[in-house]
Amino acid sequence: MLRFIFVGLWVCFVASGALVLGVQMTKSGATKSEDRTAIPGNTGQERSELISVPVMADGSVRGYVMAKLIYLTDSNIKNQLSVPLSFFVNDEIFRIFFGAYSDTREIEKVKFDDIRQKVIDGVNQRFPNPVIKDLLVEQFNFISIDRVRNSVCQ
């Protein structure tokens, strides 16, 4: 009988300690999330539609690069544009990937930070003032032509 009492007290002690530790960790996590960098008030965001760029090699399609991006923009400059900014971003992605890879295994080695910077620089060069501040990835995949054919045939 005495063992059951000690076991019961031990379980209560462990449960209370876990609860206190969990509350303290939650509080310390909340202070860390408050340290995030603030985005200026004149920054807007846009999501691109799903961009599909064929990857050509030896005169035939070897697969598709599929990308869905989020880009942070300077709202003041973007509002002055007469053409949607997404047209420029899509065009720059297309220019980077279309015909650039003769071996589709090279696409697996792509470092997205390099692509991201190329897109930002390429779009911003078309305007007197930089419009895109940052580019974020929502989706970025390569689909081989074999996978496309197999999914269509099934």
Side-chain angles (χ1 to χ4, degrees):
M1 179 75 174
L2 197 54
R3 284 186 182 169
F4 289 123
I5 292 173
F6 285 126
V7 170
L9 289 173
W10 177 252
V11 169
C12 289
F13 177 72
V14 170
S16 300
L19 179 66
V20 169
L21 182 65
V23 168
Q24 287 179 350
M25 290 184 75
T26 304
K27 286 181 181 178
S28 67
T31 58
K32 289 180 183 175
S33 65
E34 292 170 0
D35 293 342
R36 294 181 183 164
T37 56
I39 297 175
N42 64 344
T43 301
Q45 75 173 17
E46 284 191 41
R47 290 178 184 253
S48 71
E49 295 181 15
L50 186 62
I51 304 165
S52 172
V53 181
V55 176
M56 304 288 289
D58 300 327
S60 63
V61 176
R62 300 289 185 193
Y64 295 90
V65 170
M66 309 291 283
K68 196 168 187 181
L69 307 170
I70 300 169
Y71 37 98
L72 302 178
T73 61
D74 186 332
S75 297
N76 298 332
I77 298 171
K78 188 185 81 107
N79 292 336
Q80 297 173 359
L81 300 177
S82 59
V83 177
L85 187 59
S86 63
F87 292 175
F88 295 101
V89 173
N90 292 355
D91 181 61
E92 199 60 38
I93 290 285
F94 202 86
R95 287 174 189 241
I96 290 171
F97 284 101
F98 187 76
Y101 296 94
S102 59
D103 183 5
T104 55
R105 284 177 271 154
E106 293 176 17
I107 294 176
E108 295 173 4
K109 299 175 187 174
V110 168
K111 292 187 176 21
F112 191 76
D113 287 338
D114 298 338
I115 300 297
R116 182 181 140 270
Q117 197 58 49
K118 284 182 184 178
V119 171
I120 292 171
D121 293 342
V123 172
N124 286 340
Q125 286 177 359
R126 297 181 184 192
F127 302 103
N129 296 319
V131 180
I132 295 184
K133 294 182 176 185
D134 201 2
L135 189 69
L136 308 170
V137 179
E138 187 171 337
Q139 177 182 346
F140 191 82
N141 297 320
F142 173 75
I143 300 174
S144 69
I145 194 68
D146 296 331
R147 286 185 56 197
V148 173
R149 286 182 185 148
N150 289 340
S151 67
V152 171
C153 294
Q154 293 177 355

